[in-house]
Every structure is written in structure tokens, then in C-alpha cells.
Amino acid sequence: MMFVNVISSPRGHLSLQQSLDLANIYLDHASKVTDPDIALVLCHDTEVSLLQAKKASKHADQSVRHGIATAYIGLGKVLERQGRGTEAKAIFKKVEKLGVKVQDHLQVAQPSDLKSTASVKGTVASTADTVDTQPQSNFSMRKHKKINDFATVPPHIFAENVHPAALTKLPEPDERLTNTPQLACCLSLLNNAHGLDDILEPIARNWLQVVENDEDEHERLKILATDVIRTFKKEEIKDAKAVSEVVCLAPVIERDLFRDLLGSFVDGIDSSTLLDTHQLQGLARLIQGADTGYLDADDLVKILTLLTTRLQNTHQQSPQHVYQLTLAASYVLDAMADTKVEGLDRETLHQPLSLYLDALKGNAEPYLVYQAAYACQALLCVPDNESLWQATVRRTGKVIQGVSGLVSAVKGLDLIGFMDGLKNIQQGLAGASDVVRFVVTAFDDATSLSASGQDFLDGVKEGFSFRRKSAWYPALRGADAFIRDGEFSSFRKLVCEASCRLDPAFQWGVCQRLGEIASNPVWDARTRRSAVGFLGEMYQNDDDWGDQASVKEWIIVILKQLSSSAGGSQQYIETLLQELESSVDVKYKVAVQAFQWKDPSTYPLKVALPSLASPSLLDRVQNKPDVEGTLRQLRKQRLKERGISVYIQPQAKAGLKASDDQRFTLIEKIKEFLESKQRVFLLLGDSGAGKSSFNQQLECDLWNEYKKTTGRIPLYVNLPSIDKPEQDMIAKQLRKAAFTEPEIRELKMHRKFILICDGYDESQQTHNLYMSNRLNQPGEWNAQMLISCRSEYLGVDYRDRFQPGDRNQRPEPGQFQEAVITPFTPDQVQDYIKQYVSVHQPLWEAKDYEQALELIPSLKELVRNPFLMTLSLEVLPRMMDPGEHLSAAHVTRVGLYDHFVEHWLERGKKRLSEKELSPQAKAAFESLVDEGFTRNGVDFLKRLAVSIYKEQDGQPIVSYSRFKDEGSWKMLFFSREDEKQLLREACPLTRSGNQHRFIHRSLLEYGLALAIFDPHDWKEKILPVTGSGRRGSTSSAFSFRVHGSANEVIYPADQGPDVNSPLYWRYFVNEPSLLQFLVERAQQEPIFRQQLRGYIEHSKSDPKWRTAAANAITVLVRADVQFNSAELRGVRIPGADLSYGVFEAAQLQDADLRRVNLRGTCLHQADLSRAQMAAVRFGELPYLQEDAGVMSCVYSLDGNSLVLGLKSGKVKVYSTSSWEQVQTLEGHTERVRSVAISPSGGLIVSGSWDDTARLWNVDTGTCIYTWSDHERDVNCVAFSPRGDTVATVSDDRKVRVWDVRTGDCRMILIGHTREVWGVVYSPKADRIASAGNDKTVRLWDMESGICLRTMNGHSDTVYGITYSPQGDRIASGGSDKTIRIWDVETGRCCGELVGHSEPIYTVTFSLQGDVIASSSIDKSVRIWDAESGVCRQILTGHSSVARCVVFSPRGDHITCGSEDCTVRLWDVGFGGARQFTTGHGGTVSSVKYLPQSDQIISCSKDGSIKLFDAEAGVGRQVLTSPKGGASTITYSPQGDMVASGSSGALRLWNVETGACQQTFTGHTSDVLAVTFSPRGDQIASGDRGGIVRLWVMTSGVCLHTITAHTNWVRSIVYSPEGNQIASGSDDETVRLWDAKTGACLHTLSGHDSWIRDIAYSPRGDMLASVSSDCTMRLWDVQSGECRQISIGHTKRVQVVVYSPKGCQVVTGSDDGSVRIWDVDSGECLPTLTGHTNGVTSVVYSSSGHLIASLSKDGIVRLWDTTSGQCRALVESINAPIRSIAWYTTSDVKYLVAGDEDGSVRMWRVDEDGDECHVRLRWRTVNGELVVTGTLIQDVHGLSQIDKQLLKQRGATGEPIDHLRTATKNVTSMVSVLSALKQQPTRAPSEPSSIETFTVKQPQQTEQPVEWNFDPYLS
């Protein structure tokens, strides 16, 4: 308590003993603290207290004087330990004067707690050395008047530190705020909650506990502050009240908002004609209260520049304006000093401001002179970094201003305590000790100025310096810091004891601050009265404060102003004024007189803030719609609805054609999108891929992050639930969420959205929702859009529906992005299973599901779809029959849905049975149970699905209103009838308000598919019901599993097609998800296939069935049903999708095929006579035939001309309107390598290998200029976009630029080090890019000719180069077979496109820049996605090098010229996503028949091995080998395993599961031969290194490695008994090995060349071998002797095979012959000739009377082994046959073949006497249109272009030309092509377009209908 009493008493009133005690307290603290700076301050205070004690000890006894001396000695010791020896010596001298010997005391041991520290001399002296401490002569103290060393004031004045008075109560959450200070208080508490815990008042602490964790309340308060600032900015007139309101918020708002407000003030001041003093004051207050880091140096310089400019322009205005500007400049300079701004421009800013302020010292207004002097002092500190006040001034001030009255005063804390604990309690106050050190300078090192009695203004005029630093400035800054913290006792100490206290400038500033304290209602009455009393003391006590007249006058002015404004202190002030007046003080009277004739406003005083306006800005803000409250409700609702669910973050790929291997995490890509400036993100995926789940999870994530990052509102929109979402979609969704119209308007005007649009396909949209909703247009909604759609819903040109921008204009780059959700990876599947088991706790454990995935072959692929994964996990435990082995199950998608729906209904039934029902409902439930609850539920589901499609066109959401929909179809399902309510509750439906829908769109489609064909219904019609077995059980022919042969026959009841079937009344051709259900059902259920054929059959006689027939045949084609030789005469299937179907030799006479999709369809030898084929779509165009190779081609910009450069040296020009040749430009003597056409289309430039470039006039065909300056071949030419220049490049390594008008060479660009091959202008014509043999791409400036950049990256010659239309990218391609995308600005390679197998000649961008086309030596054209780098399409057809490729002007066609003398035109905008091949991607190297499993197996050079159902040709398994392909395959004797040999490896595959069971490692080169042992327990293999290896099949262990051969082992076989192995090698030997030991039994030598093939006889006693020496040898296996040498072939013999009975041997040779040899006699029986090339394969039929031989010419011949007659030829359609095998059933023979194009075919071979018929049974699909031999005689409706196409592709016959009745001139093919080019690509058929012509059709007719007018062509 003694310490508190001492500290809290003014030092001047302390007794001797108290002064000595205080000195010892300071000394004790100084000896203990570790901070040298604080210790130094405490030493100073010790000395001051000892000086006070020394003065009072003149009459004290010696003991007291000895105590003072002892304290002095202790002080000296501390100073010595601080390294301040000089100061210590001075102290010791004072001790000597007191009569005490210092040495006696220095022997005493030092206190243990004092530690030596480094010297801090430089730290403290740094400021003192720069402060003006010399007394000024014009302010020197009068000699005759003594001034006290320290001033004293009565002890009641500022007796203690205080805190601001509470101004407001704190609001409850969501409570309306009463005023802006209340808002500032709340925000300040929240911002500083963790730093104020110990000093908060209870009311504040309680409020924080309630609000601190309420994020919504946080956001509400922040938004209110933001809205107040925004409202203020919009105010045209910013009055003092509005300024005060926002300034009140400034210390507590976030940095960005603060800077926004700061900019508003600056702009307002800058733009005002007359000085806006309110904004100027606001700016000053804003800067004064700014938090650390809120003010940047650049901001301060900018503001200071503005203020300086206004100062210089304000000379003629009032002093008040000058004062306000100077005051604001002072605050800016304070802030600049705090933020250490250095290096102000002396010429433009520092010096002019300094001179202007210096000039103000002559002003007549002293307050203005003072403020100018203050500003000068601040300016002097700016370049020297001397002010260290920022942390104290800003942060403590901010807390006090923000939490007025809610922070308790720190009891007993004074200046000393503050300094001692500074680092611990103010960790956030950077540089606090430096601040204190700076105060010390103000206390000690500034010599006080003597009082002069002169007027302050006179003193200034006598020479007061404005250009030298003075101590009063930092002292006042320190005073400000203490005032802001409420540390008034420290403030009093600073003012009374400062050595500069007599400086008039310091006193003026102190008086100003006292006046502000007295006028500020923030402080309590006692504090304000203390300020008034302090002013009175300064006026009256001349001994302490001097008698400066200007200061006296200033005090009176302040008191007078306070008397009229200082709240409750007026009486106290009046009393003080009366007291002063009664003293009859002359100075007072003079001051009063001066004040009486002056306007009080001429002495500005910052008093209380003006009261807030009514209504205030806050009131106005709170009166606007409470959108945040409604948003909070929406947020809570959406998060609650999401709940806890199983969710795996999906992965995605860049585009539909991208490989699934090119995956990325979708959420990361979405985050990048949301942080970018892109507008639309299209999310694609298959049905059930997880698009909706991702969208909903994304919405929840964004709601959880709401306001923490961007503040954008996530809005999930289920598009099907919105009526006409193409118009005002956001507002409609908000209305559904209960937002009011004012709230919606508020959101539209001020907020940004993240729009998550789900179900574009379900809403059956075709609009571009981004464009139709005018998003981000002026005055419209501000939003980024994420929109999801099923992949199968879209065609090729789908981007127009989503990209921002007009589809007829080029879209802005970088506005659109897309991704496709990829199927689950195995790791994702495992994670999903674990989550599912944890959340749902099903019957199975995770290991059970994992086992099922391993053992059920078809399940692995299904569960990669998230929705099907959910269904699978739900129903799998119920799908398995007891005792059934998992590996025997075959699970399908439709089977999963069958069981899922059944399980869902059974659960619903159980739930209802346990529910308390009303008597009526209970009776209804029991009735439903009696009838079969599950079946009733399924029927309800089917009928509802049918009604939704029929009544709502498939719109999945049903809105039902009880009164509105009374009597409608909806009552059948949604009325309040008990049965309907029960069924609704049990079915997989969900409800939101009055909206009902299936829980997933696919269930609606499943329901409709089930209505079309329900196996259970047909089962009841055909089979007696004996029990309640499960749907799809294995005992049913209608099982979801596929069992038995495809020949299974079901005999249904005799019943015709159903007119009520949805197939009858709706086209489903364009609904892929629904079709998939039907396709799977058709693949599984023969009765359904039979039913579909029935619809097709009925359409022949009755046109009303044509819709059903079109649907039916579409389903069958997609179910891989082939219609080879099918009887389809007169079928009516308009609008059907037959793409990639197989109709070889089909009879389609008189068929209605209008608008049928025939893309990639095989119609080989089909008969289409008299068929209706209007608007049929082939997806291809005919080619143009030239007389020489086409080297280059280009379209004119308007698309009216196509220019070709030919190998013959000619340039040809075609008109695209008629496709007639309009010009032939001749002059070049070598090939024309490049052509270009001017933008106007009137000029052509050509470059040739005759070393010249020529400029031609298109109209006249004349050559204008011949440029021959190039020294070698001209490889490329280009027109500038302006058409004024031409660029050419050559083998001479130069780029030349020519003037088109004059023909002069403008510039030569030199830099390439080898031949230059490509050149292109930038779209702006300011740059040229070139490329060449030096592997570089170079960028040149057109003005200077300087090479701006060289882009390296290609590893070989660069041939093709092109600029993107936007000019930001360059694409290049060349001999390294890659295309590289370059960023023009950086030169960085930002993409590499890989896919071509040969060098690339040309690359070009589409007009929109989103697609790249390339042509290559590999004869193909590839279409690439420019953003993702994915190859969208490969276009083939050329038979030679594809030299050039260009887009048509509309971008819908691609034109390619080739050295095969053709120009091909592809329709790249047609065909949709269904582009596939069921065959291989490369040559089929081997085919085999597996009799045990009734399968065909084939392998290819593309690395794939495929297994096909032998009967139907349906693919069963795909086994993927490593890169390099499988060179050979063989199957095990049991037929369950397949072995394949490839590069360096042998692999064993499971036929049933498709899994690789073993990989046998050991071979180091290609495996050329592999075979199973007869028992299947061993595998033998041989490779190119001559190594033979024997393996254990089950374990993969290598039994023996045989290295006897010295060259390739081409063939290896087991003996029939399996005890021997024979191997044939290129070392000219055959070796026999013991299969057990691996020992060599015999080496069979005798051949003179490579052994090509070997074969054991059926009995195993003989071995046949053939060789390149043209002979065959027969060897005795036991003895190894050669029994027979057969000579007859004239070239090497490639193959040998024994007949089934072993009596004959057949050989095939490169001489083209097949020879049959008698084994016993060696005689050559028939020699089979006819092949035109070498024979590569010979196979016997099972009976042995037919031989099939294959030649290199690709033709198979069937021979009779007895007569030698060729019974039949089997020719390939498009590619040679490369492998063959026989497949024989009990009574039918089939021939299987693999082609060079990857196709696999099977023919049925029927012998009828002398005739042998070969008919195609099935073939794989390779995606090519095949019409060779197709008869089109008298076909109706074909366009000229289609006729030309069919003729080119080999069709025969003459179709009917309807146009010849109108004109005798037959319209050429090219004119029709032009007409088609002008029309948009026709979409797939729509039901309405089909129905338009049905009304005029005859009711029943057996004859084909003649159509005089076809609406398809109208």
C-alpha cells in the first residue's frame, strides 16, 4: 500500500522520506529488470526522486543525508553495469559532495540479481542527438523570474488512470442496434476478445460468451458495418454527422473496407471544388485512428500530395480551411513517421510542403502557426525514421475507442508499472520499448525553453525555427498515447516533468489536448473536470508554467468554448472563469478582451463529435431487407437436409474423350474455377456418376465457408423444379426459399452468387442458361455458374449450350471450363464400402463386399458408378441364392435396380406394418398385402413413371395441389386415399412441399423401362406361379443373370404388340439412360427380343407401329443384335438410330428409313431398293477427286472459295456454292507447297518448290507478282490479316515480308539456322511466327523485325504452325509426332498433344479457338480439345499422307487434302457421344475357338485380348496386355485359361473373370510361341533369343530354361501325350525335349533354312516341319530320323497342319499354293492354287473334308480336300484378313477371321450338294460406314450429296431423283453440299417431326408408299 500511495501522489507534494522511499523503489526495480532500456528509465526516475529528496534534506540530520548518499551509490552501480560509466562518475561526484566516501561503499558485494548488460548508449542517444536541445534566444527565460524545475498540480487532478464511460448497452444476437457506436463496440470486442479477457467488465464478458461462437452474429455485425460504409459512399452530400458515424467505425473494420473508406474520403476531397471540411476532418480522424498495417506508404504519399496541392491552392480561402488542411497533413505526416516512410521526393513534395508550412509562421492566427509548426516537426521526422509510436498510438487507442466503458481500468498502473510490464502485457505493441525510450528523450535530453512573457506569435516572428527538430513534438505524441489509454496520471507526470514543458508550442498542444478531454463525453465527469482544472493551473501558476501571453489567451478561448459545449461541466467552468476574473489579473482581462472581439471559431478546438443524424446511416441500413437473416435460415435448412451421408470426393477428367487415366480431384479443379475469372463450369458424367451428390456436397462446403473467404452465396438450383429456368432462374429459386421481393432485389443489386445448377438434362433444356438469364450483364445477377448434365444427353456441339457469349460470335477465351466425372477407382470403391458399412451397418461386412467384387466378374465395372455402387451394397446380400458361388453370378445394372426396388418396397411394407395406422388405412394396407404388396408397389411405380412421361414429357418433378389438380391424372397417385398414401410412402419417392419426385432420376427411367417390359408379368403369362420366388431368381428364364445359350427358346402366349406400351407413343431414341435399361433387358431376355422384333414386323403392314418399331430396332442394335441377311422388307422405322449396326445383306426393300442415323453402319451387300431415305444421316461427305496430290488447301474467310495447291504445280480454285472449278492458276514448275487467300478473297499467294512465290488475281487468273528472291524451295506462305503484306519462308532459312501493293520486299527476318517450314501472322498482324528444321518456333516483331522470342521444345523438325484466333497461343507440330501449345507472352510450352504415329504436317485452330485439327503422314486427321489436350476424334479414309487440313468457315466440317489425290470432307458436328468399336484397335494377329466355353478369343497388336460369345458375337471380356500387343495366344485344354505371349513376358488369364492370374517373368525378348500341355498343368514358351522355357501353370515357377537353340524359336508344340515338346528355330533345327526333365531327346537337322512351323501327328509318332528352304520334312519322333522330304513348293513354306485323322499333311507357301501330301506315300495330292500372294495360314474343318487357307492378299479360300476344288471365297470388305479359325457345332460349321482393321467376323458355312454358301453370322463394329455392294436402286429422298457418297463407297443402282421433274438439268452433288453447309446440323429425330406426316399416310397398305412431298426436305 505504501508503494501505491507513493506512486499515486504528485512528486512535488511528497515528503523527504517519501521521496527517498520512492527513489529506493525505483532503484530496486532498476536493479532487477533485464531490459536495459527500462532499467535506464528507472534510473532516471531514481535520480529525479533523489534530487527531490536532496532539496528537502537541507535541514535533515546526517543519517538521512547518508541514506540519500547510499541510494546515489546504488544508482551509480546500476549505471556502471549498464555500461554508462560517464553518468556513473557524475553520480559518484554528487555522493562526494554529500561527505560520503564512495570507495568504502564500492567494496560491498553487488546484488546477485543485477546482471551486466550490453551498452544501450547508442539506443537512447540516437534520438537525443537529433533533437534541438539548445534554448532559443527569443524564448529565453527572464533573468529576474525564477521558474521551478518541475511543475505541480493539485493531487485531485488526474489522480488516477481511468477508462472511458460506457456509452451503450450490448445487443442480443439478431437484436436491432440502436446506434453506430454500439456496433463499433461489438466489433471491437469480437476483434480483441482473446486479448481482453482479464480486463473486461462482467457485462462485456457475458456478452462475449454468448456471441463469440455465433458465426452468424459475427457476419451480421460485419455486414452492418460494411453496409454503413457503402451507404456513406453513395451519399452525395457527406455532412459532419455522416462523417462522424463512419469514422466511429473506422478503427474496428477490416483492412479492405478501411481502405475503401479511405479512398472515398480522398476522392471526395480531391473532386470537391470548394474544400469539403467535413470530409477533410474525417480523413484526419481516419488516419489518426488507423490500425497497424492499414496504411500503406503509397497511400500516405498520395494523400499528402493531395493535401499539399490543396494547401497551395487555398491561399485566398479562410484560415479555417488552411488550418483543417494543415491539421490533416499533420496526421498524415504522423502516420508516415510511424510507418517509416522514407525518401519523399524533395523536389516535388518534401521541399514545397516544408516551404509552405514555413511561410505560415507569419500568419496572423496563432493556432494556425502552431499547427504549421507541428506539421513541420512531423515532416522533419519522416525521412529519418524517428517516430516509434505506431503500436502504442494505434492499438491501445483502437481498444479504448471501440470498447468504451467495457474495459476495466488497470488498478495501480502508472508510468513505471507500464514500462516494467510493457513486454508482457502488450506483446502485440511492436517497438514498445522504443516508444518508451523516445519518451525518455522528451523528458531528459531536451533543454527547456525559458519563459519570455512575449506573445507566442511575436516569438515566432522573432525567429522560432520550423526547420530543426524540437523535443515538444515527441513529447506531445507521448501525451497522446497516454490519453488514448486513459493513463491520465502518466499524462500528468509527462506534462509536469517534461524538460520542454515551458516551450510555448508544447503548452499550446497540451492545452488543446486538455480542451479535447474536457469536451469528450467518453470520459467521466471527474476526468473532464480534471482537464479544466489543469487548464486553470497552467493559467494561474506562472512559477511552474511561465507567462506566455499566447498560451494564456489560448486557455481562455478553450474555457470559453467549453462553457457552451462541455456537457455537465459548464457550471464548473463558469466558476473557474469567475475565479480568474476576480483575480483582477491584467493578462486575463487582456485575453478576455481579445476573445470578445474575435469569433470563437477562429480558435478551432476538437470537441465532442456531432450527434448522429436521425435517421443515421445505421438506421437506414437496418431498414433495408434482412437478407442475411433469410440466408442464415436457408443455410441451416440446406445443411440439415444434407445430413450425414456416405460421400467420396469424385475424380474427373478434362473432357469426354480424355482417358480415365488422366484424372484429377474434381473439388480442386472447382476451387481453381471459383478463384478464377471464369464464368461457367460444365460438369458432365454418366447417369448415377455422382453429379448431384457432388453438387449438394459442394453447396454444403460453400455454406460452411460462407463469408470466410469470398462472401459469395452458394445457391443450389434443381433445374427440373424450376418453371422455365431460362428466365430469371435465380429469382425463382429464391422465391422457393421464402425470400421476399425486396430481399431478392437487394441480393440482385449487391451480392454475388455461386450458382450450382443441377439436372440440365432432366429439365430437358436446350437453352444456354447463362446467356438467357443474362448473368453478369449490367443490372443483372452477378454469378459464377456450375452446371451439371449427363454426358449422354449431349451431342458433339454441346458447348454452345453452356459457353458465355453468342453462339454466332467467337466466345471470349478463358470463360468456360468443363470436366467429366470418372468412374470410381478401386481405392475409391474400397473407401466407399468402408464408409457405407460404418454408416449403415448392413448384413455384410466390408470383407464380404470386397470378396464379392473379386469373385463376381461383372460387378467390378458396375460399382464404379456411385449410384450403382449404392444399389449394389444395398441389395447384394439378398441377391445371392443360398449356396451359390459368387464367381457364378453375373450382375447387371437392370438386375441391381430390380432388387433395389423390391428391397425398398419390402422395407416400406415392414415400416408400415409397425406403424400405428388408422382403421381405414390398416384395412387398405392389409388388402394390399393380400394382393401382394411388392407387386402393387412395382405397378404403382410403373404407372407413375408412364404418367410422368406421358403427361409431363418426362419432367421428373410432379407438383400436386389438392384443389388445383382435382380430377387430373395426378390424383391417381397423390390423392389422400389410403392405398395411394401407403404406396407413395413405400415407394422410392421423395417430397419437398407439394413437389414429388423419384429419389433419383434413373429410377424414373427404370420405372418406364419396366412398364415397357416387366419379366415378372411375362412370367405370369407363360409359366404357372408356384411360389413367391424372388424377381430375377436363377430359376427364371427372366433372371437378371445371363445363363445358358443364346439359342434358348421361350414360347410366350400368342399375343400381339401392346398399343399401350410407351414404345408405341413416344420416341426414346435420344434417351440413352432409358435405352440402357432396355438394352440390358433385351440382352438378357429372349422374350423381350422377340417382342421387339414383333413391333418391327408389325410396322411392315401397319404404319401406326412405326414409332414402336423405330424404338425397338434401336434397342436391338444397341443390344448388339445383328441383322445380317435379315428379312426387313417394308419396315417402317423413321428416326431410328442404327448407328454402328450390322445389316450385311439385309433385305430392306421398300423400308421407311427417313431420318435414320446410319453413321458407321455396315450395309455391305444390303438391298435398299425403293426405300424411303429422306434426311438419312451418314455423318460423312463425299470426297473431291484431283489429278495430282493435294499439298495445301485453304478456305476464303467468307467460305465461298476453296483453294488447292497441287503436286503438279497447279493452283485450283473452287466455288463452294456449286463446287465447280472456277480457276486454274498455272505457272509454277514444281509442286505448290502452300497457298493462302487474302481477307477480301480477291488475291491468292502460292509458294512452290520452284523457289518462287506468286501473287494471283482470282478473278482474272493472272499472276501479279513473281517473287523469286528466295534461293531455295518456298515452303509456306501467309497473308496478313489486313491483306497488305505476305510472308514467305524457304529452305534458304529466311523469312521474307512482301508489300502486296508494290511487290517490294519490306523486310528479311534472319535467325533460323536451318530450313524454315511454317509461317503465320498473329490476328493483330503485329507479329509473325515461324518454324523450321532447327526445331524452334520463333516470334518476330513486324515493326522492328526483331526476334522477340525463340521457343524450344520440339525434338525434331517443326512443319506446321498456327495462331489461336485470340492471339494468345501458338500451336506447332512436326516430325517428333507431337503438337505443342505455346503461350505467346511467356514463350512457355503450356500443352503437348500426343497421338499421331508419324510426323505431323499441318495444325490449325478452329475459328472459336477451342479445337485444333492436325494432319499427319499416318494418313489420319485428329481433332483435339485445345484446352484439355484430349483427342476428340480420329478421321481416317485417306490412303496416303494427309498433307493439309483446314476448318470450314462455320467450323462444322473439316477439309483435308492428301497425296492420294483426294480432298475429304468430314462432318465433325454430327454423331454424338456414341462412337465406339467392339473390335480391336489394331491388326488381329490370332483368333481361336474355345469349345469348352463356346467362346472366340482374339489378340491384337494394340495390346488387347478379347473374348466373344461364339453364337452372338457379343463381347464377354477384354484382357488388356501391355504396350506392344500380344503376338500369340493359346487356351488351356479345359478352356478356362488363356496364355498370351508378348514383349518379354508370358501371361495367364482367367477366361471367366478376365483377371490376369499369373505373369511369368524370365524371357528377355519377344515371346513368339506358347502352348499348353495336353493336361493343362504346364506351359511351354519360346522367344526371339532362342530360349525355351517350361512353366508350372498354377504357380508360375519356371521348371526348365532350355538354351540349345541359337536363333528365334518360332514354333513350339506338345506331343498328344504331353511327354514331349518340339521346338522349331531359325537356327535351321527342330529339337525334341523331355517335358519332365527338360532334356534334349533329339536334334532334327536337315533343313537348309529357318524352320517356319512344326506339327505333331494326331497319334504323336510323327512330326512335320516346314522351312524357308521350300521343303516339308516328316520325322520319326522315336528315332529322330527323317522319314520323308516333300519337295514341290517354289518359295518358303510358312505353315503345316495334319488332317484330323492324320493321314494327310497340308502345307501353305509363299508361292501362293496349298499342297496336300499323303503321309504314307509322300505323294502330293491336289495342289490348290488361286491365291495371288503367299499363304500364311491353313486350317482343317473338324470333319477334315474342308480346308480354309488364308493368303497375304487378305482372301480366304475354302477347298474340298478330296477334289481340290475351291468351294468358296471369303473376302474382306475394307481390310485384309490376317488370321482364321474354324468353329464347329454338332451340325454347323463356322469360319472365324480377324482383320487388319481390328475386326473379328464369323461366317456360317453351309454345304448343299455342289454348292457352298458362306453367310456372315456376326462381325465386330469398327465405326466405319460400309456400303460396298449395297443396292440403292430407286431409293427415294436421297440428297445428291448422299448419292455421291454412296456411289464413292461402292453402292450400286440408281436412286430416284425427285428434282428431275422440275428441271432437265441434274443438280450436281456439290450444289447440294453447299445447301447443306448453309443449314445447321440437324438434331436427332424428335417425336413431333415424325408425327407431322403421319396423318396423310394410308391406314393400311402392303405396298410401299410413294411420297410426292417429303416434309424432311422442306
Side-chain angles (χ1 to χ4, degrees), residues 109-363:
Q110 300 174 358
S112 59
D113 58 348
L114 291 179
K115 300 179 181 179
S116 62
T117 59
S119 171
V120 292
K121 179 191 294 184
T123 307
V124 177
S126 61
T127 302
D129 294 342
T130 60
V131 177
D132 179 13
T133 59
Q134 297 302 317
Q136 304 297 319
S137 59
N138 48 345
F139 293 118
S140 61
M141 187 181 295
R142 292 175 180 173
K143 303 293 184 182
H144 65 274
K145 182 152 182 89
K146 178 173 177 58
I147 301 296
N148 293 330
D149 292 340
F150 299 99
T152 58
V153 294
H156 67 276
I157 294 178
F158 293 142
E160 59 184 12
N161 297 330
V162 298
H163 61 289
L167 295 178
T168 182
K169 74 181 235 7
L170 294 171
E172 297 296 326
D174 288 326
E175 182 183 353
R176 183 183 177 90
L177 277 74
T178 58
N179 54 53
T180 307
Q182 186 185 36
L183 175 60
C185 175
C186 295
L187 290 172
S188 186
L189 282 172
L190 291 172
N191 294 343
N192 300 277
H194 299 295
L196 301 175
D197 290 342
D198 298 333
I199 57 175
L200 285 180
E201 294 289 348
I203 185 174
R205 188 178 294 110
N206 293 338
W207 182 84
L208 267 179
Q209 289 176 351
V210 173
V211 174
E212 192 170 6
N213 295 322
D214 189 343
E215 293 186 4
D216 290 339
E217 181 66 5
H218 289 202
E219 293 304 315
R220 182 178 80 96
L221 296 174
K222 289 181 181 179
I223 289 170
L224 283 174
T226 301
D227 289 346
V228 168
I229 302 300
R230 288 175 175 171
T231 304
F232 171 78
K233 289 181 61 180
K234 293 178 181 178
E235 294 288 291
E236 293 186 6
I237 300 177
K238 297 176 173 60
D239 58 18
K241 295 181 178 181
V243 169
S244 298
E245 193 169 354
V246 295
V247 168
C248 172
L249 287 174
V252 296
I253 58 179
E254 295 179 347
R255 185 177 187 274
D256 290 343
L257 190 57
F258 174 88
R259 291 176 58 78
D260 196 25
L261 179 60
L262 180 68
S264 174
F265 277 118
V266 172
D267 293 340
I269 295 169
D270 190 23
S271 62
S272 60
T273 305
L274 298 175
L275 185 65
D276 189 334
T277 57
H278 300 313
Q279 292 202 64
L280 188 61
Q281 290 172 357
L283 177 64
R285 294 286 304 282
L286 205 63
I287 294 171
Q288 190 181 31
D291 198 0
T292 304
Y294 275 31
L295 292 171
D296 292 340
D298 291 342
D299 298 330
L300 295 169
V301 172
K302 177 182 177 182
I303 296 170
L304 187 60
T305 303
L306 169 64
L307 296 175
T308 302
T309 303
R310 295 305 296 252
L311 273 170
Q312 293 170 343
N313 297 331
T314 316
H315 281 293
Q316 304 303 319
Q317 298 187 31
S318 68
Q320 289 86 351
H321 287 176
V322 178
Y323 172 77
Q324 293 293 342
L325 285 165
T326 308
L327 180 65
S330 300
Y331 289 144
V332 174
L333 290 167
D334 284 346
M336 294 176 75
D338 296 343
T339 53
K340 300 183 180 182
V341 175
E342 299 182 28
L344 289 184
D345 191 303
R346 177 162 291 277
E347 295 296 328
T348 61
L349 186 58
H350 192 287
Q351 188 174 8
L353 180 58
S354 178
L355 292 174
Y356 182 84
L357 294 173
D358 190 56
L360 288 178
K361 69 183 179 182
N363 196 281

Side-chain angles (χ1 to χ4, degrees), residues 1428-1439:
S1428 65
V1430 174
C1431 181
R1432 288 187 181 180
Q1433 204 170 356
I1434 302 174
L1435 308 176
T1436 59
H1438 283 297
S1439 59

Side-chain angles (χ1 to χ4, degrees), residues 202 210 598 615 712 761 1087 1131 1140 1210 1242 1323 1468 1504 1594 1607 1732 1880:
V210 173
K598 285 189 176 181
R712 292 175 293 178
D761 53 295
I1087 189 63
V1131 295
Y1140 310 105
K1210 297 178 182 179
V1468 296
S1504 64
T1594 54
N1607 210 333
T1732 59

Side-chain angles (χ1 to χ4, degrees), residues 161 264 528 667 757 1002 1386 1449 1623 1747 1866 1888:
N161 297 330
S264 174
R528 284 183 280 162
I667 189 63
C757 299
S1002 60
T1386 65
S1623 58
I1747 290 175
V1866 178
S1888 59

Side-chain angles (χ1 to χ4, degrees), residues 1320-1330 1337-1341 1347-1351 1361-1372 1380-1391 1405:
V1320 63
Y1321 278 88
S1322 67
K1324 295 181 180 178
D1326 57 341
R1327 295 178 179 179
I1328 282 179
S1330 59
V1337 174
R1338 295 177 184 261
L1339 197 61
W1340 310 84
D1341 181 76
C1347 181
L1348 301 174
R1349 191 167 289 109
T1350 300
M1351 290 168 270
I1361 187 170
T1362 183
Y1363 250 104
S1364 69
Q1366 295 78 20
D1368 58 338
R1369 292 174 296 170
I1370 291 174
S1372 59
R1380 291 180 179 266
I1381 313 296
W1382 309 91
D1383 184 284
V1384 171
E1385 293 304 318
T1386 65
R1388 182 178 61 88
C1389 179
C1390 52
F1405 274 98

